[in-house]
Structures are given as structure tokens and as C-alpha cells.
Amino acid sequence: MLEVILKTVADADVVDAQPFLAGTWSGDGPAAERSGPYLRRTVSRAPTALPAEIDRAVDDARRYAPQVATLAPAARAEILQRASVAALAHRDRLAQLLALELGKPVKDSRVEIERVASTFEVCAAEARRIDGETLPVAGWNTGVGNSAFTYRAPAGVALAITPFNAPANLLAHKLGASFAAGNTTLVKAPPQAPGISAAVVALLLDSGMPYQAVQLLHGGGDVGAALCAATEVDVISFTGSAATGAAVARAAGAKRLALELGGNAATIVCEDADIAAAAKTAARTGYSNSGQSCISVQRVYVHRSRYADFLDAFAAAVDTLVIGDPMDPLTDIGSMVDQDAAERVVRWSAEAKDLGATVLRGGTRDGATAAPTIIAGPPANASVVVHEVFGALVAVMPYDDFDTVIGECNASRYGLQAGLYTHDINRIFTAWRRLEVGGLIVNGTSNYRLDHIPFGGVKDSGFGRESPRWLIDDYTVVKTLMLRNLTIWGDRHDLTKENQ
């Protein structure tokens, strides 16, 4: 299937993204077409899962789970390592498919596929590290004479629901870590990216993943809700909006959840910062993928003494960004996921202007392509400050007091990541302690991530950590073995009688 998909991309034809059910690439549901947001034509199509197909998928997943669990960690690791190599070998065609389906510049799409390869490599390493503990049971009087051990067992059936903004790499995280843990996985692909989702699954299968380890379904929220509610599912990993995450939790009930939800990321630029470096990085990371990232730079708070300098440098850096065809390797900013998303940037820019802010750049769109927008000095109640824009817009605001700006950052209901530009170690530790976020990037913006370190948020940004090692914790259960009256420890309470 992978070669078929990649050849279709090379031929500039419509990708037929079939579901993968019980070892077969086929589906009987009505076809849903994906229109490329830049090309404005159909680039892929996928059959929507029928209720009977959903039922069969979850039944098969439950039946396959014990088989997959018997595959040794070394075997899982070798498959994931081969998938890492294959991802790099097919990088350019996979990147083209990403660019076609999502309007993401092909140079950024190449980076995403490189991250897929890295993520599979990390998953392979973590598969080899899954272990357990010998517990100090004899350290308490009640445990003397006994032994106890633990190991991390596969949870069973995992459900991975992936988003459109980084569909390849986040699928690699969820599916790769689940397989590394020894689970079988149901994948619900985003409707906006059926082709690349099918391609990543096919890549793993071609690398040796047994068909029992994965099933891929296409469809919208109704398909996702049915899968979340299925009693056969043991654990769910979801990435998406806070509203949809709440719906996932309601449908799931008493299941284990890892939810990586929305963000409204802030970066603080202190008076001792390198303004040129901060402005250049904010321009690059505030508009990459047209701002469609949960950690994209949305709010920048600059000390008032450096505010004007930062705005000048930031606007100059934004002016160098190339807007255009996502298939052009020189393009920095392609299209957003659809025209409605781009219109949100335009609408909220106009609202901020009406509230007294200055629109320094942008505030316009051409179809689904939103011009990179700079909003200077919006009030605290503006939508660009309060809500998640998830688009090509950055709001820049002055501040006077460090303690006060910490509070302004924390006023958001989101708490995923933040950035901080300073060389003052006291400020660094204060921000690390007091900012209500899952991660703080020092001398960098909020939009920075390494795939092998913990990533996740607090408040409405969700819970759990979406990186292979930490996802494996969610994808496994601790099983304890207690040996009564059999000990590897000493079992005597005293030696008094021997000394008499």
C-alpha cells in the first residue's frame, strides 16, 4: 500500500486512503474527499467507517491483543528501527503528501517526516527499556519472609486519535509507543489527513509490524465517539482541542486517558534579552505551519523598555517570510487547514483593532492562506489574548513588572508551554516555579519541542505526557507478583537466641 500511495503522489493523482481492518486495506463506507487548501482540489479520499466496521474493528482488536503482547520487546524494537530507516528513505514523497493535504510548506513537511523517523527510533529504544522492580517488601515487619516484584504489562487495546496539524509525527508517537508497549492499536485518523495517516500505517506494516497490531479507521467525530465508548478499549491517547478532549473524556468513561489539548502559549522577553535573536525566533516559530500548533507563539510580553525595539525587529523578521505555494521549497508560510480557519485570523484581528490594538501586519487572507499577522497592544479581553488562535497571528504586549506578567501569562485557561528570554537565573527559577505550564523554554519561544522529552500541559491543556517513554507509562499497567513465605531477603527478626 505504501508504494501505491507514494506513486499516486508522484503522479499528482488523488490518493485513495483505504482503512486497514483485520489485515485488509479496504472499506465499504461512503468516500469523504479532502480538498487541498492551497490547490483547492481533491487530493485524497477515504471511506468513512460504517458502524459495523467499527464494531468489527474493536472486536478484532480485543481478540488480537493477547497475540501482540507475546511479541518480545526486542522484536518490537527491531520493527520500529526499520520503520525509522524507511521513513527517511521515503521522506520527500511523504512530505509532498503532507503539503498537498494540509498546505504545510514542504520544507517543514520534510522536517516532520524526519521527526517521524526520530520518534520511531526513540520508540525502539524505549521498547528495549521496559522493565519492572524488585520491591523492598522486607523493609517493613509485615513483609518479612516475603518477596515482591513488578513489571509493566501491555494495557491491551489502545485507541490513538490524531490531529491534523502534525498528523504524521503525532501518529508516530501514539502508535509507535503503543506498539513498543506491546499493545494492539486502533487509529482514528483526522479527516483532513487521511492519506498521510494511511501512509504511516503502511510504512510500519511494510517494516514488519504484524497486522494484528494496528487497525486504521477514517471518519469524523461520530466515529471517534463510538471508538471512545467501546468497552474493548483500555486506554485512549488524544490530541486536539479542549472541547473535543472533554467530549472524548465523556464518551470514554472510566478508561485511562492521555489528553494533549489546546494552548495559548506566551513568551516573556525581559529587558536583558537579546532582542534581535528573540524577534527572529518569534517570527519563525510564531508562523511555522501558519501558527497551527498548540505551542505556537501567540502572546509575546516584552518589557516596556525594549517593547518598541522588539516590535521593529519582529516586524522586519516577519517581512522576510515567504508566503506561497507549499510545494515550493522556498515557501515559509503555506495555507491553513481550510478557509474557515483563515477567516478566524481575519475576524479576530478586526476585533482587536476595534478594541484599540494596532494591526501592524496582516489581518487578511487569500482563500485558506492567512497573511502573517502582528497585533500590537491588544487589551486583555481581546480574543487574540483570551482564546487559542491556532493560526498565523502573534499578539505583542508591553509589561512593566515581572511578577505581574507571570500573572498575565497564567490568566489563560491553557497551560502547555511558555518561553522566557532572560539571563537572570532568579527569574528563570521563579518562572519555572510559578508559570502554570507543563514546560518552560529558556532563551527560546514556547514553540520548541524535542520528541524524547516529556511534553504535555496542565489546566485545559490536558494531562499525561506525549513522548514515547512517558506514553509507555500510560500504555502499560503495573502488575505485581507477591511470593508468600519465600524471600530473597533476610527473614529473621533477631539473632538473640543464637548469642545466648
Side-chain angles (χ1 to χ4, degrees), residues 74-202:
R76 302 176 214 152
E78 288 165 4
I79 291 166
L80 290 162
Q81 190 65 51
R82 287 197 293 270
S84 173
V85 174
L88 288 179
H90 297 299
R91 183 196 65 172
D92 290 349
R93 285 283 181 251
L94 292 170
Q96 288 175 12
L97 180 52
L98 265 175
L100 288 169
E101 285 195 308
L102 297 169
K104 187 174 189 175
V106 72
K107 68 178 180 181
D108 292 336
S109 297
R110 289 190 185 113
V111 172
E112 180 169 346
I113 302 304
E114 290 167 1
R115 290 179 65 187
V116 167
S118 176
T119 298
F120 283 148
E121 187 173 24
V122 174
C123 289
E126 295 301 336
R128 301 182 191 278
R129 288 160 46 99
I130 296 174
D131 57 12
E133 292 184 79
T134 299
L135 301 177
V137 64
W140 282 260
N141 286 333
T142 53
V144 171
N146 303 305
S147 299
F149 310 91
T150 67
Y151 84 102
R152 301 203 73 95
V157 177
L159 169 60
I161 304 179
T162 52
F164 73 80
N165 61 316
N169 189 40
L170 292 181
L171 177 54
H173 273 273
K174 296 177 189 298
L175 179 53
S178 179
F179 180 63
N183 297 307
T184 186
T185 309
L186 295 158
V187 174
K188 210 293 282 183
Q192 304 91 338
I196 192 64
S197 301
V200 171
V201 170

Side-chain angles (χ1 to χ4, degrees), residues 3 13-14 17 37 42 94 107-109 128 138 153 276 282 317 327 362 406 414 420 442 456 491:
E3 290 301 326
D13 204 350
V14 176
T42 300
L94 292 170
K107 68 178 180 181
D108 292 336
S109 297
R128 301 182 191 278
M327 300 300 289
I406 293 286
Y414 297 106
L420 174 65
V442 176
D491 60 358

Side-chain angles (χ1 to χ4, degrees), residues 159 225 227-231 233 236 246-257:
L159 169 60
L227 291 168
C228 288
T231 57
V233 171
I236 300 171
V248 165
R250 288 192 299 269
K255 293 186 178 75
R256 305 179 73 185
L257 298 174

Side-chain angles (χ1 to χ4, degrees), residues 402-414:
F402 191 70
D403 288 338
T404 300
V405 78
I406 293 286
E408 291 176 353
C409 292
N410 288 342
S412 172
R413 65 191 181 97
Y414 297 106

